Amino acid sequence: MKDTPSADLLVCPEAPPAFPTDQVATIPPPLRAALRGLVLHDRDQRVRFRRLIEWIAARTCKPEPETR
């Protein structure tokens, strides 16, 4: 890479906090599908951004825990 990006662009993205586990809600299927799509999209974007940072500055980001 010709120029290294500034330090503020090499900050690893953090995962948002998880939903509370002590509460229950009934979510209609269309809303659940939309929410799932947003969560997966956010995760995929974080993964892509982390890969880019690791390509530019190796071992910058600590691994995210696996969740399913």
Side-chain angles (χ1 to χ4, degrees):
M1 185 169 241
K2 187 176 180 180
D3 296 320
T4 302
S6 61
D8 64 322
L9 293 176
L10 295 177
V11 175
C12 299
E14 295 294 324
F19 286 111
T21 57
D22 62 344
Q23 298 177 14
V24 177
T26 302
I27 301 173
L31 184 57
R32 186 171 45 240
L35 183 58
R36 179 173 162 67
L38 288 171
V39 168
L40 293 177
H41 176 75
D42 177 68
R43 182 203 58 194
D44 293 346
Q45 293 305 311
R46 273 195 333 275
V47 167
R48 289 178 68 205
F49 190 51
R50 284 172 161 277
R51 287 177 52 209
L52 179 60
I53 291 172
E54 289 297 320
W55 182 63
I56 295 169
R59 292 181 294 283
T60 300
C61 298
K62 60 183 178 185
E64 279 191 12
E66 282 288 323
T67 57
R68 303 243 169 185

